[in-house]
Amino acid sequence: MDIRQLRYFLTIAEEGQITSAAKKLQMAQPPLSQQLKQLEDELGVKLVERGPRSIRLTDAGEILRRRAQQILDLADSTSREVSDFAKGLKGTLTIGTVSSSGATLLKDRLSDFHKTYTGIKFEIHEGNTFRIIELLQSGVIELGIVRTPFNTSGMGYKYAETEPMIAVMSPELDWDPEQERIPIAELRNRPLIIYRRFEQLIRETCQKTGFEPNIFCKNDDARTTLLWANAGLGIGIIPRSAYKLANNSNLIYKEIGSSALQTQVAAIWIKDRYLSSLARKFLESFSAAEPGSSQEGGRSL
């Protein structure tokens, strides 16, 4: 099994047909079919079920598809890493981000970093925190930008400044337009739209205040929370900086006055793993807005 065979297999899986995969790869169909058969023979397992017009991956084929993608991403990442080393501070920095950190990352981090190191290009992968950590562990990305809370085991990390959570809503659901900051008790009996990772924190904070939150919708993306809140379906709970993702919506927000409902953006990496000079320079620039509000953990830089 080699990289070439894995690329062939992934193309077949993506296209769902040997014929269209062969066209995409600019090769004849018989040699591609032979490569697939050789791969199945080598692994000793059937990878696809062949139908009259299409193929379907077997369970083993699905496993190989996931692993093959990781292997190819890692191969590409390794190639860039070696190339970047030779180029010094020129090359591509691979970063994974959660959606709720995107606006802060672009405005407060990457823009300034790019002005200082104009020869650097960026490759951004998006996903939830679990996906970002998976990409880090597989070596596809060097750095992850996530939000607290997250599991710091095996991670190096550097926190940015703390920010409050806010309640976002359409004007129709605003019970007091003059109120810009609210105690958490104001959320009692109101339909809440929350990011799933914050559920435990929100529940515990509400319970300590004496009520059970009315969670109307749970999701995995701050943009979904904003979309549902903008439709007037409920009150979204998001980090304050994620409000920038709302663009031109008519949403308004109120800061939640609770020391427990705080979050931070953090840069994370795998401890004791090689970091390129690009990644190190970015981490040096990943400082909080106010002196002393940044924290580091894991291996020193």
Side-chain angles (χ1 to χ4, degrees):
M1 182 170 62
D2 57 32
I3 294 293
R4 179 173 52 90
Q5 286 179 312
L6 293 180
R7 290 192 189 279
Y8 289 166
F9 175 73
L10 275 180
T11 304
I12 293 171
E14 290 166 0
E15 294 296 315
Q17 287 184 327
I18 301 288
T19 303
S20 57
K23 288 180 180 178
K24 187 172 183 178
L25 292 166
Q26 297 183 331
M27 63 186 296
Q29 180 178 337
L32 183 58
S33 296
Q34 184 61 30
Q35 287 291 333
L36 177 59
K37 185 178 184 305
Q38 288 179 2
L39 188 58
E40 289 181 319
D41 290 344
E42 180 181 346
L43 295 174
V45 67
K46 197 172 185 179
L47 297 173
V48 302
E49 295 286 355
R50 293 165 174 80
R53 294 186 178 180
S54 64
I55 61 98
R56 182 182 64 82
L57 296 183
T58 63
D59 291 344
E62 286 289 352
I63 293 172
L64 181 61
R65 181 188 62 78
R66 291 194 299 270
R67 292 302 187 189
Q69 189 63 65
Q70 291 177 345
I71 291 168
L72 293 176
D73 286 344
L74 181 57
D76 290 341
S77 177
T78 301
S79 177
R80 288 193 302 269
E81 187 175 291
V82 174
S83 177
D84 290 349
F85 178 79
K87 294 175 182 176
L89 285 178
K90 289 186 178 181
T92 301
L93 179 59
T94 54
I95 299 177
T97 74
V98 294
S99 63
S100 64
S101 72
T104 299
L105 177 65
L106 287 173
K107 180 179 181 297
D108 302 328
R109 303 295 188 269
L110 288 182
S111 294
D112 291 341
F113 185 67
H114 179 59
K115 289 175 185 177
T116 304
Y117 303 104
T118 56
I120 293 174
K121 296 180 180 180
F122 300 92
E123 183 175 318
I124 305 297
H125 295 255
E126 293 183 300
N128 60 30
T129 295
F130 302 108
R131 175 60 176 161
I132 299 306
I133 291 175
E134 181 182 281
L135 290 172
L136 273 176
Q137 291 172 336
S138 63
V140 175
I141 59 175
E142 278 199 279
L143 300 174
I145 307 297
V146 299
R147 280 194 178 276
T148 57
F150 61 92
N151 186 354
T152 60
S153 177
M155 294 288 174
Y157 50 90
K158 187 173 184 180
Y159 293 128
E161 62 274 11
T162 300
E163 62 177 294
M165 304 288 276
I166 61 173
V168 295
M169 66 204 76
S170 63
E172 295 77 18
L173 293 183
D174 186 2
W175 61 93
D176 187 351
E178 301 299 319
Q179 218 175 6
E180 295 183 354
R181 193 170 190 270
I182 59 172
I184 192 169
E186 293 276 344
L187 299 177
R188 186 192 300 266
N189 297 326
R190 303 188 190 278
L192 304 182
I193 305 165
I194 68 169
Y195 186 35
R196 186 172 280 104
R197 287 190 61 249
F198 294 135
E199 179 181 5
Q200 183 177 352
L201 177 62
I202 291 171
R203 281 193 184 278
E204 290 177 351
T205 306
C206 290
Q207 288 166 353
K208 287 178 182 177
T209 310
F211 70 97
E212 189 69 30
N214 174 21
I215 297 177
F216 170 66
C217 172
K218 290 184 287 186
N219 62 75
D220 292 313
D221 196 310
R223 290 167 293 196
T224 302
T225 296
L226 289 165
L227 182 66
W228 279 54
N230 195 46
L233 297 172
I235 296 169
I237 308 298
I238 59 172
R240 184 174 59 191
S241 63
Y243 181 75
K244 299 171 186 176
L245 297 170
N247 295 323
N248 296 320
S249 74
N250 65 346
L251 283 172
I252 60 174
Y253 76 82
K254 301 177 186 292
E255 183 177 316
I256 302 172
S258 169
S259 59
L261 287 185
Q262 303 278 329
T263 182
Q264 290 174 284
V265 170
I268 62 174
W269 63 96
I270 301 297
K271 284 196 295 187
D272 302 321
R273 179 181 290 177
Y274 169 80
L275 281 177
S276 70
S277 54
L278 299 183
R280 289 173 178 273
K281 288 296 182 183
F282 178 78
L283 287 170
E284 288 174 10
S285 72
F286 193 87
S287 57
E290 299 178 4
S293 59
S294 170
Q295 304 173 43
E296 293 185 24
R299 188 185 68 177
S300 60
L301 301 179

